[in-house]
Amino acid sequence: MTVPVFLVNSRHHKDLEFPKLHNYICDNLPELKRKTYILSLNAFTPDMINAKTKILRQQITWEAMKCATVSFVWAQRHTLDSYTQHCREKLGLDDASLSKMAAQYNTDVYHFKNELQGINAMLASDAKSWCLPAVNIFGGVAVAMRLEKMVAGLYTVVAGSTVFAVSSFRSTYNLLHQILSVVSEDAHRLHQAEIAMQMLKS
């Protein structure tokens, strides 16, 4: 059996034959291991960002189901917040990843944070309100993403009822998709900013 050999640079994954190595590993791993492998890598190319986004999108149904099982608004808010942070970490948009990138290019971390237009537009909502603290920006137009108000007086119904659970699943499912779209767009935007930094550095 012929074992392929790839020339790679451990510090610069975009260089040499690392993309070929990545594709070879993905083609030969079982599905579960392939997903784990992809999520463990840095989102260093548009294709990698798209591959990660696809896997993260497949997790949305499960996250929405967990939230619907509890059927409390605080649980939904927790799910939305934790999923947003999870997406940021996997797509390299968390504070630690941005700080590392800034150090690599010897620039201020806010240079990259300013590129995260969608994430920066996520608003903190009043704890007593029924709205999601998120705003998506496409083409310069801010589109507020808000939870639909539950059926009037629904919160007086026993939590865990079928109606409440279905409503919770539907709203959470839709909002998680929108959140992932926001983070994914920002990941592509950050990738373009990094390319510009590389050109300036060279």
Side-chain angles (χ1 to χ4, degrees):
M1 178 180 178
T2 303
V3 179
V5 178
F6 301 91
L7 182 62
V8 300
N9 185 329
S10 61
R11 293 188 176 183
H12 302 284
H13 294 167
K14 301 175 187 177
D15 297 341
L16 305 177
E17 296 182 310
F18 189 88
K20 292 182 180 180
L21 172 60
H22 162 71
N23 292 333
Y24 176 80
I25 294 175
C26 287
D27 291 341
N28 290 276
L29 281 178
E31 183 178 2
L32 184 58
K33 290 185 178 181
R34 180 180 61 81
K35 291 180 179 180
T36 303
Y37 165 73
I38 291 175
L39 290 178
S40 69
L41 295 175
N42 293 327
F44 51 83
T45 66
D47 288 341
M48 180 61 69
I49 294 173
N50 292 335
K52 286 194 170 197
T53 300
K54 182 178 179 180
I55 294 174
L56 291 169
R57 200 172 295 282
Q58 293 171 353
Q59 299 174 352
I60 288 178
T61 299
W62 172 244
E63 293 295 329
M65 287 178 63
K66 288 193 298 183
C67 181
T69 301
V70 180
S71 295
F72 283 115
V73 172
W74 67 263
Q76 185 180 55
R77 292 288 296 275
H78 174 74
T79 298
L80 297 174
D81 291 342
S82 62
Y83 184 75
T84 300
Q85 183 60 28
H86 176 64
C87 291
R88 290 187 62 181
E89 291 174 355
K90 295 305 179 183
L91 291 173
L93 305 183
D94 57 304
D95 290 341
S97 298
L98 294 176
S99 296
K100 184 177 180 180
M101 186 181 297
Q104 179 182 349
Y105 294 103
N106 194 28
T107 186
D108 193 288
V109 67
Y110 288 100
H111 174 84
F112 293 112
K113 283 188 174 183
N114 290 336
E115 297 294 332
L116 310 183
Q117 298 180 17
I119 292 175
N120 291 337
M122 289 188 178
L123 308 175
S125 64
D126 180 13
K128 295 181 181 180
S129 69
W130 297 86
C131 65
L132 170 70
V135 171
N136 192 4
I137 295 180
F138 289 104
V141 179
V143 183
M145 299 188 305
R146 293 185 174 275
L147 282 170
E148 299 176 357
K149 277 198 172 183
M150 304 300 180
V151 178
L154 184 59
Y155 49 84
T156 61
V157 180
V158 178
S161 67
T162 302
V163 175
F164 200 106
V166 170
S167 178
S168 176
F169 173 84
R170 183 178 60 185
S171 59
T172 304
Y173 179 86
N174 291 334
L175 287 165
L176 289 177
H177 273 287
Q178 294 180 61
I179 287 173
L180 179 56
S181 295
V182 171
V183 179
S184 180
E185 286 290 327
D186 277 351
H188 282 287
R189 192 176 292 111
L190 183 64
H191 174 68
Q192 292 299 321
E194 186 179 7
I195 291 177
M197 289 295 295
Q198 290 174 347
M199 295 177 64
L200 290 175
K201 191 174 181 180
S202 60

